[in-house]
Amino acid sequence: MYYEAISQCTQSLKLVEGWLNKTVAFAEAKNVDVDSILNGRLAPDMKPLIYQVQSACDYVKAGAAWLSGQRPPEHEDNEKTVEELRARIRKTVDFAQSVPQEQYQGAAGRKVSLSWAPGKVLGGKDYLLQMTIPNVYFHIAMVYAILRNSGVDVGKRDFLGAVNFVDA
Amino acid sequence: MYYEAISQCTQSLKLVEGWLNKTVAFAEAKNVDVDSILNGRLAPDMKPLIYQVQSACDYVKAGAAWLSGQRPPEHEDNEKTVEELRARIRKTVDFAQSVPQEQYQGAAGRKVSLSWAPGKVLGGKDYLLQMTIPNVYFHIAMVYAILRNSGVDVGKRDFLGAVNFVDA
């Protein structure tokens, strides 16, 4: 399930690229500066959209890496434009998709440490369920929320993406 | 993993009760009508906070039910107050926690149908990863986003809740 769960988080992150396309189209149609949306936030003491994308990417990257026994590649937080955010998402997706299913063997038994919790570790299952999944969806949802709050016409289907329905 | 994933979604939903406490305290301190926050939304064509709580509850309830081979209990969407939202969360949590781990046996092989996708079904794994988890976290995150946008001082730790760290 580790491989499948990280794959789904990766799919969800990929959807943000489509939302960025809608953002550019919206900014052009309304003649507003796209930077004002990228730097938009829901509260003065909350981080802006650019950070939310970076953070979603980092949780996908870290989940794919630690649960497969690797150190995550370093990605600097220096994105300022839509094109740079697209590139950040793509390199994250490329890394996550480069990890083969069999490399997640033993994920449940791994211990993951976090920089903000020195001296502590999380078991693989707790890391997936309590850290990776909630944080990936939190930050993706904050991107969505800021776009919604800015007037961009993203909708719930854009959040869910493709669903593997089969005929009943 | 089905039992554990639903348990974690249930834990995350439970946290919303604490956010509602902060909302009441904020409304009292600022002398604002708490109803204006409960009916707050991020965009004119988006659903308000009350709906986001109801919807998060419904995805937790449905996940716990269908993946354990049960029909979900019916919960009417008639909440208007903080107390009623607390009750909705509690009955959802009570139901989800009433399902024993062994009842999730065979969850991967179940087929789940959704009212808005007639003639189609989702396999148990896709239902968990593509429907339950993203929707639970989406709606909980929208509650958080509306509260943040209203000025309530919820923070990331309130979203994550307790994390099972152990000594390294």
Side-chain angles (χ1 to χ4, degrees):
Chain A
M1 193 70 110
Y2 290 86
Y3 171 76
E4 285 92 343
I6 296 294
S7 295
Q8 189 56 48
C9 286
T10 307
Q11 288 303 318
S12 296
L13 175 65
K14 261 178 95 165
L15 297 170
V16 177
E17 270 209 72
W19 310 353
L20 291 174
N21 297 341
K22 284 195 168 189
T23 303
V24 170
F26 171 84
E28 281 172 8
K30 299 283 179 183
N31 202 21
V32 299
D33 186 356
V34 75
D35 288 350
S36 70
I37 303 177
L38 300 187
N39 292 294
R41 51 183 98 211
L42 297 173
D45 61 341
M46 195 171 162
K47 297 279 178 54
L49 187 146
I50 289 175
Y51 169 88
Q52 306 294 343
V53 174
Q54 291 166 337
S55 200
C57 286
D58 276 350
Y59 279 104
V60 169
K61 179 185 75 173
W66 296 122
L67 292 171
S68 68
Q70 302 175 72
R71 173 168 291 276
E74 280 185 37
H75 294 163
E76 243 187 289
D77 291 330
N78 53 11
E79 290 81 8
K80 288 191 172 59
T81 67
V82 166
E83 210 37 70
E84 288 166 354
L85 287 176
R86 282 200 189 101
R88 175 69 174 259
I89 293 168
R90 281 180 197 164
K91 69 183 170 187
T92 304
V93 169
D94 286 348
F95 169 71
Q97 293 183 337
S98 76
V99 182
Q101 180 157 9
E102 53 274 21
Q103 210 167 329
Y104 286 93
Q105 271 181 7
R110 296 193 192 279
K111 304 280 179 220
V112 182
S113 56
L114 291 135
S115 58
W116 50 271
K120 302 283 181 186
V121 292
L122 264 177
K125 193 173 68 187
D126 289 329
Y127 181 65
L128 176 71
L129 294 178
Q130 300 191 321
M131 198 55 55
T132 304
I133 288 175
N135 275 296
V136 168
Y137 283 108
F138 175 84
H139 290 290
I140 292 177
M142 289 308 119
V143 174
Y144 179 97
I146 293 168
L147 292 179
R148 252 341 211 117
N149 197 227
S150 302
V152 179
D153 72 331
V154 287
K156 186 72 177 295
R157 296 287 175 111
D158 295 305
F159 186 86
L160 290 181
V163 177
N164 294 340
F165 282 116
V166 294
D167 290 335
Chain B
M1 192 70 110
Y2 289 86
Y3 170 76
E4 284 93 342
I6 297 294
S7 295
Q8 189 57 47
C9 287
T10 306
Q11 289 303 317
S12 295
L13 175 64
K14 262 178 94 166
L15 298 170
V16 176
E17 269 209 73
W19 310 352
L20 291 174
N21 298 342
K22 284 195 169 191
T23 303
V24 171
F26 171 83
E28 282 174 5
K30 298 282 181 184
N31 203 20
V32 300
D33 188 355
V34 75
D35 288 352
S36 70
I37 303 177
L38 300 187
N39 292 295
R41 49 183 101 212
L42 297 174
D45 62 341
M46 194 169 164
K47 297 280 177 54
L49 185 145
I50 289 176
Y51 170 88
Q52 306 296 341
V53 174
Q54 292 166 336
S55 200
C57 285
D58 276 351
Y59 279 105
V60 169
K61 177 184 77 173
W66 296 123
L67 292 171
S68 67
Q70 302 175 72
R71 173 169 292 276
E74 281 186 37
H75 293 164
E76 242 187 288
D77 291 330
N78 54 11
E79 291 82 8
K80 288 192 170 60
T81 66
V82 166
E83 210 37 70
E84 288 166 355
L85 288 176
R86 281 201 191 102
R88 175 69 174 261
I89 293 169
R90 281 179 197 165
K91 68 183 173 188
T92 304
V93 169
D94 285 348
F95 169 71
Q97 291 183 339
S98 77
V99 182
Q101 180 157 10
E102 53 274 21
Q103 209 167 330
Y104 287 93
Q105 271 181 8
R110 298 193 191 279
K111 304 279 178 221
V112 182
S113 56
L114 291 135
S115 57
W116 51 269
K120 302 283 182 187
V121 291
L122 264 177
K125 193 172 70 187
D126 289 329
Y127 181 65
L128 177 70
L129 294 178
Q130 300 190 323
M131 198 56 54
T132 304
I133 288 174
N135 275 297
V136 168
Y137 283 109
F138 175 83
H139 290 291
I140 292 177
M142 289 308 120
V143 174
Y144 179 98
I146 294 168
L147 292 179
R148 246 354 205 113
N149 197 228
S150 302
V152 179
D153 70 332
V154 287
K156 187 71 177 296
R157 296 285 175 111
D158 295 305
F159 186 86
L160 290 181
V163 178
N164 295 338
F165 282 116
V166 292
D167 290 335

mmCIF file of all heavy atoms in Angstrom, chain A residues 18 21 29 54 74 77 89 91 98-100 111 113 120 129-131 143 145 159 168:
data_model
loop_
_atom_site.group_PDB
_atom_site.id
_atom_site.type_symbol
_atom_site.label_atom_id
_atom_site.label_comp_id
_atom_site.label_asym_id
_atom_site.label_seq_id
_atom_site.Cartn_x
_atom_site.Cartn_y
_atom_site.Cartn_z
ATOM 1 N N GLY A 18 -2.306 21.757 -13.721
ATOM 2 C CA GLY A 18 -3.502 22.185 -14.454
ATOM 3 C C GLY A 18 -4.150 23.414 -13.814
ATOM 4 O O GLY A 18 -4.654 24.292 -14.510
ATOM 5 N N ASN A 21 -2.356 26.421 -14.938
ATOM 6 C CA ASN A 21 -2.786 26.832 -16.281
ATOM 7 C C ASN A 21 -4.050 27.679 -16.188
ATOM 8 O O ASN A 21 -4.184 28.707 -16.863
ATOM 9 C CB ASN A 21 -3.051 25.616 -17.165
ATOM 10 C CG ASN A 21 -1.797 24.776 -17.386
ATOM 11 O OD1 ASN A 21 -0.681 25.254 -17.179
ATOM 12 N ND2 ASN A 21 -1.985 23.529 -17.790
ATOM 13 N N ALA A 29 -7.348 36.941 -18.645
ATOM 14 C CA ALA A 29 -8.722 37.364 -18.939
ATOM 15 C C ALA A 29 -9.124 38.579 -18.100
ATOM 16 O O ALA A 29 -9.846 39.462 -18.573
ATOM 17 C CB ALA A 29 -9.689 36.205 -18.703
ATOM 18 N N GLN A 54 5.516 24.544 -2.848
ATOM 19 C CA GLN A 54 6.827 24.002 -2.455
ATOM 20 C C GLN A 54 6.677 22.952 -1.358
ATOM 21 O O GLN A 54 7.329 21.902 -1.363
ATOM 22 C CB GLN A 54 7.729 25.140 -1.958
ATOM 23 C CG GLN A 54 8.147 26.104 -3.058
ATOM 24 C CD GLN A 54 8.739 27.408 -2.521
ATOM 25 O OE1 GLN A 54 8.473 27.802 -1.379
ATOM 26 N NE2 GLN A 54 9.513 28.085 -3.343
ATOM 27 N N GLU A 74 17.770 17.298 -2.804
ATOM 28 C CA GLU A 74 17.532 18.662 -2.301
ATOM 29 C C GLU A 74 16.955 19.547 -3.405
ATOM 30 O O GLU A 74 17.481 19.595 -4.511
ATOM 31 C CB GLU A 74 18.847 19.259 -1.770
ATOM 32 C CG GLU A 74 19.143 18.728 -0.372
ATOM 33 C CD GLU A 74 20.358 19.376 0.259
ATOM 34 O OE1 GLU A 74 20.560 20.604 0.055
ATOM 35 O OE2 GLU A 74 21.107 18.660 0.946
ATOM 36 N N ASP A 77 14.143 26.257 -2.402
ATOM 37 C CA ASP A 77 12.871 26.991 -2.458
ATOM 38 C C ASP A 77 13.094 28.379 -3.052
ATOM 39 O O ASP A 77 13.128 29.383 -2.333
ATOM 40 C CB ASP A 77 12.276 27.130 -1.043
ATOM 41 C CG ASP A 77 11.808 25.802 -0.485
ATOM 42 O OD1 ASP A 77 11.398 24.926 -1.280
ATOM 43 O OD2 ASP A 77 11.836 25.641 0.744
ATOM 44 N N ILE A 89 7.199 21.164 -9.551
ATOM 45 C CA ILE A 89 6.270 20.030 -9.505
ATOM 46 C C ILE A 89 6.804 18.885 -10.358
ATOM 47 O O ILE A 89 6.819 17.726 -9.937
ATOM 48 C CB ILE A 89 4.863 20.456 -9.985
ATOM 49 C CG1 ILE A 89 4.246 21.449 -8.991
ATOM 50 C CG2 ILE A 89 3.951 19.246 -10.167
ATOM 51 C CD1 ILE A 89 2.981 22.151 -9.497
ATOM 52 N N LYS A 91 9.886 18.124 -11.317
ATOM 53 C CA LYS A 91 11.051 17.378 -10.813
ATOM 54 C C LYS A 91 10.665 16.538 -9.598
ATOM 55 O O LYS A 91 11.223 15.452 -9.379
ATOM 56 C CB LYS A 91 12.270 18.281 -10.560
ATOM 57 C CG LYS A 91 12.209 19.245 -9.432
ATOM 58 C CD LYS A 91 13.510 20.095 -9.411
ATOM 59 C CE LYS A 91 13.354 21.244 -8.414
ATOM 60 N NZ LYS A 91 14.490 22.183 -8.452
ATOM 61 N N SER A 98 10.252 7.746 -10.119
ATOM 62 C CA SER A 98 11.467 6.968 -10.418
ATOM 63 C C SER A 98 11.667 5.831 -9.408
ATOM 64 O O SER A 98 12.510 4.961 -9.610
ATOM 65 C CB SER A 98 12.703 7.885 -10.385
ATOM 66 O OG SER A 98 13.068 8.173 -9.041
ATOM 67 N N VAL A 99 10.890 5.865 -8.324
ATOM 68 C CA VAL A 99 11.067 4.844 -7.282
ATOM 69 C C VAL A 99 10.202 3.633 -7.617
ATOM 70 O O VAL A 99 8.975 3.741 -7.663
ATOM 71 C CB VAL A 99 10.672 5.395 -5.891
ATOM 72 C CG1 VAL A 99 10.918 4.341 -4.813
ATOM 73 C CG2 VAL A 99 11.423 6.691 -5.576
ATOM 74 N N PRO A 100 10.820 2.479 -7.870
ATOM 75 C CA PRO A 100 10.022 1.303 -8.243
ATOM 76 C C PRO A 100 9.291 0.721 -7.028
ATOM 77 O O PRO A 100 9.747 0.862 -5.890
ATOM 78 C CB PRO A 100 11.068 0.320 -8.773
ATOM 79 C CG PRO A 100 12.351 0.733 -8.132
ATOM 80 C CD PRO A 100 12.265 2.208 -7.854
ATOM 81 N N LYS A 111 12.340 3.867 10.150
ATOM 82 C CA LYS A 111 12.189 4.936 11.129
ATOM 83 C C LYS A 111 12.557 6.238 10.435
ATOM 84 O O LYS A 111 13.621 6.339 9.825
ATOM 85 C CB LYS A 111 13.149 4.732 12.314
ATOM 86 C CG LYS A 111 12.993 3.378 13.005
ATOM 87 C CD LYS A 111 11.820 3.379 13.965
ATOM 88 C CE LYS A 111 11.634 2.029 14.629
ATOM 89 N NZ LYS A 111 10.210 1.676 14.739
ATOM 90 N N SER A 113 13.097 10.399 10.710
ATOM 91 C CA SER A 113 13.254 11.534 11.624
ATOM 92 C C SER A 113 12.918 12.821 10.883
ATOM 93 O O SER A 113 13.038 12.905 9.658
ATOM 94 C CB SER A 113 14.672 11.583 12.185
ATOM 95 O OG SER A 113 15.608 11.624 11.131
ATOM 96 N N LYS A 120 13.606 12.344 17.943
ATOM 97 C CA LYS A 120 12.399 11.529 17.776
ATOM 98 C C LYS A 120 12.372 10.900 16.376
ATOM 99 O O LYS A 120 12.984 11.431 15.443
ATOM 100 C CB LYS A 120 11.141 12.407 17.913
ATOM 101 C CG LYS A 120 11.036 13.149 19.228
ATOM 102 C CD LYS A 120 10.597 12.235 20.350
ATOM 103 C CE LYS A 120 10.465 12.985 21.667
ATOM 104 N NZ LYS A 120 10.172 12.060 22.781
ATOM 105 N N LEU A 129 0.781 7.831 7.271
ATOM 106 C CA LEU A 129 -0.608 8.188 7.580
ATOM 107 C C LEU A 129 -0.751 9.495 8.354
ATOM 108 O O LEU A 129 -1.769 10.179 8.229
ATOM 109 C CB LEU A 129 -1.286 7.061 8.373
ATOM 110 C CG LEU A 129 -1.488 5.734 7.634
ATOM 111 C CD1 LEU A 129 -2.127 4.713 8.571
ATOM 112 C CD2 LEU A 129 -2.375 5.913 6.398
ATOM 113 N N GLN A 130 0.255 9.815 9.176
ATOM 114 C CA GLN A 130 0.116 11.008 10.028
ATOM 115 C C GLN A 130 0.909 12.204 9.510
ATOM 116 O O GLN A 130 0.701 13.328 9.975
ATOM 117 C CB GLN A 130 0.603 10.699 11.448
ATOM 118 C CG GLN A 130 -0.164 9.573 12.110
ATOM 119 C CD GLN A 130 0.151 9.455 13.585
ATOM 120 O OE1 GLN A 130 1.295 9.620 14.002
ATOM 121 N NE2 GLN A 130 -0.872 9.178 14.370
ATOM 122 N N MET A 131 1.841 11.955 8.605
ATOM 123 C CA MET A 131 2.700 13.050 8.159
ATOM 124 C C MET A 131 2.578 13.256 6.648
ATOM 125 O O MET A 131 2.189 14.325 6.194
ATOM 126 C CB MET A 131 4.150 12.716 8.557
ATOM 127 C CG MET A 131 5.132 13.865 8.579
ATOM 128 S SD MET A 131 4.660 15.287 9.605
ATOM 129 C CE MET A 131 4.378 14.497 11.209
ATOM 130 N N VAL A 143 -3.356 25.466 -1.699
ATOM 131 C CA VAL A 143 -3.205 26.038 -3.043
ATOM 132 C C VAL A 143 -4.588 26.255 -3.651
ATOM 133 O O VAL A 143 -4.916 27.352 -4.143
ATOM 134 C CB VAL A 143 -2.370 25.109 -3.963
ATOM 135 C CG1 VAL A 143 -2.353 25.652 -5.394
ATOM 136 C CG2 VAL A 143 -0.956 24.944 -3.431
ATOM 137 N N ALA A 145 -7.443 26.500 -2.128
ATOM 138 C CA ALA A 145 -8.213 27.503 -1.379
ATOM 139 C C ALA A 145 -7.798 28.920 -1.769
ATOM 140 O O ALA A 145 -8.648 29.807 -1.935
ATOM 141 C CB ALA A 145 -8.021 27.282 0.126
ATOM 142 N N PHE A 159 -9.655 19.022 -8.174
ATOM 143 C CA PHE A 159 -8.935 18.536 -6.998
ATOM 144 C C PHE A 159 -8.805 17.016 -7.034
ATOM 145 O O PHE A 159 -7.765 16.465 -6.694
ATOM 146 C CB PHE A 159 -9.650 18.965 -5.713
ATOM 147 C CG PHE A 159 -8.892 18.615 -4.457
ATOM 148 C CD1 PHE A 159 -7.913 19.469 -3.958
ATOM 149 C CD2 PHE A 159 -9.136 17.439 -3.780
ATOM 150 C CE1 PHE A 159 -7.194 19.148 -2.809
ATOM 151 C CE2 PHE A 159 -8.425 17.104 -2.633
ATOM 152 C CZ PHE A 159 -7.456 17.964 -2.149
ATOM 153 N N ALA A 168 -20.020 -1.214 -13.462
ATOM 154 C CA ALA A 168 -20.582 -1.990 -12.340
ATOM 155 C C ALA A 168 -20.928 -3.402 -12.808
ATOM 156 O O ALA A 168 -21.232 -3.614 -13.965
ATOM 157 C CB ALA A 168 -21.806 -1.300 -11.780
#
